[in-house]
Amino acid sequence: MTGRRIIDAHHHVWDLAVRPQPWITGERLAPLARSFSLDDLEPAAVAAGVVGTVAVQTVCVPGETPELLSLAARSPLLAGVVGWVDLTAPDVADVLAALRELPGGERLVGVRHQVQEEPDPGWLLRADVRRGLAAVADAGLAYDLVVLPHQLQAAALVARELPELPFVLDHCGKPPVASGALEPWAGAVRRLASLPNAVCKLSGLVTEAAPGRWRPGDFAPYAQVVLDAFGPHRLLFGSDWPVCTLEAGYREVLDLADQLTGSLGPDEKDAVFRRNAVRVYRLRPR
């Protein structure tokens, strides 16, 4: 990776003094129960060749997105923000317009909702959610999909209904790395990938493996599925920092992604590690 200019298309920051992170529960996630700032990330990211990042929301509350945008307004590293809005509300378009008027509002590049926490596997197909997604598309933004494998079918159906909206599959759709199984995850990923408006983040894999026992080869079958399905021009690198630190350091995650894409040539690697994120999120790295 020496000398490469990289966009990290997926990381988080949070300040527990400002807002709790209710999803951080149990012994497994206990190391994340502290604040993580952009200042914590920047040294490792810059040393690895990262020239821009995309911060992604972590909680479904209105207050977090303006805070991330304000951070983007002050940081030369933070090129984009994937925020949260209530997709079921009737005023999604107005909320998005108001966010864009805030400091850093021009850095709003996408929206995400914790669909993985919704008990309804067809939540994305609800009429009010589809209306909200249409407003996201009209605003020229992308929509990040954080879903479990059984929710991928609904994701593919709604992505087909909204061809003008880029759908960004986070964490490869959370494959069952720990079990070693490929199906039905692989088939569902291929159905989503058959749509030209769907792209995928090569991110979040280390935390899907058996805790503390993973090897790089454990991820190779899953990386090959998404690489074959989406191709190198619809795949984006994301660190998933600081969640990744449960299993691996920043440089270790980057080196793993480099290894998993080892069959690609230099131009294709540049697409995965930089250009695709710039295109999909319409970034303007400083």
Side-chain angles (χ1 to χ4, degrees):
M1 302 294 291
T2 303
R4 185 173 297 155
R5 291 168 57 83
I6 297 166
I7 299 290
D8 181 349
H10 195 107
H11 73 85
H12 309 285
V13 292
W14 58 77
D15 185 347
L16 295 184
V18 174
R19 178 173 299 102
Q21 299 288 321
W23 58 276
I24 301 177
T25 59
E27 183 179 354
R28 164 75 167 142
L29 300 184
L32 300 179
R34 67 175 182 86
S35 298
F36 290 87
S37 72
L38 199 59
D39 288 340
D40 296 325
L41 168 65
E42 190 164 356
V46 171
V50 173
V51 297
T53 71
V54 176
V56 180
Q57 63 84 225
T58 58
V59 289
C60 298
V61 298
E64 183 187 38
T65 303
E67 294 163 4
L68 293 175
L69 293 175
S70 177
L71 182 61
R74 304 190 305 271
S75 170
L77 182 67
L78 187 46
V81 168
V82 175
W84 179 86
V85 298
D86 182 359
L87 292 174
T88 69
D91 62 344
V92 173
D94 293 337
V95 172
L96 292 173
L99 286 171
R100 282 184 151 161
E101 293 300 317
L102 296 176
E106 74 281 0
R107 298 280 164 177
L108 183 67
V109 298
V111 169
R112 187 175 85 155
H113 176 77
Q114 258 76 356
V115 178
Q116 64 181 358
E117 298 177 2
E118 295 291 343
D120 178 7
W123 186 86
L124 285 162
L125 298 173
R126 286 172 38 169
D128 52 356
V129 174
R130 292 203 306 269
R131 182 187 63 230
L133 289 171
V136 174
D138 289 342
L141 302 173
Y143 183 72
D144 269 44
L145 289 162
V146 57
V147 295
L148 299 173
H150 74 279
Q151 297 167 319
L152 283 167
Q153 179 179 1
L157 289 171
V158 76
R160 188 180 299 277
E161 290 183 7
L162 294 167
E164 69 279 14
L165 178 60
F167 283 83
V168 185
L169 181 62
D170 290 352
H171 312 327
C172 299
K174 294 185 169 282
V177 180
S179 72
L182 281 175
E183 299 297 347
W185 165 83
V189 163
R190 292 186 186 104
R191 284 189 289 274
L192 178 64
S194 70
L195 305 172
N197 58 321
V199 302
C200 178
K201 285 182 184 175
L202 187 61
S203 64
L205 291 180
V206 292
T207 47
E208 297 302 323
R213 300 201 307 270
W214 64 267
R215 297 179 180 179
D218 296 341
F219 309 107
Y222 304 96
Q224 196 61 52
V225 167
V226 296
L227 189 54
D228 289 344
F230 288 94
H233 297 287
R234 287 193 292 148
L235 201 62
L236 292 66
F237 164 73
S239 69
D240 197 28
W241 183 93
V243 181
C244 69
T245 62
L246 293 170
E247 290 294 330
Y250 193 90
R251 187 59 187 247
E252 194 175 6
V253 169
L254 180 58
D255 288 345
L256 174 63
D258 191 37
Q259 181 176 338
L260 293 174
T261 56
S263 63
L264 302 182
D267 184 70
E268 292 173 326
K269 285 254 191 174
D270 187 54
V272 172
F273 288 92
R274 184 181 64 86
R275 294 200 317 269
N276 295 343
V278 172
R279 183 188 77 251
V280 171
Y281 284 131
R282 303 180 186 181
L283 301 178
R284 291 170 292 171
R286 298 168 190 171

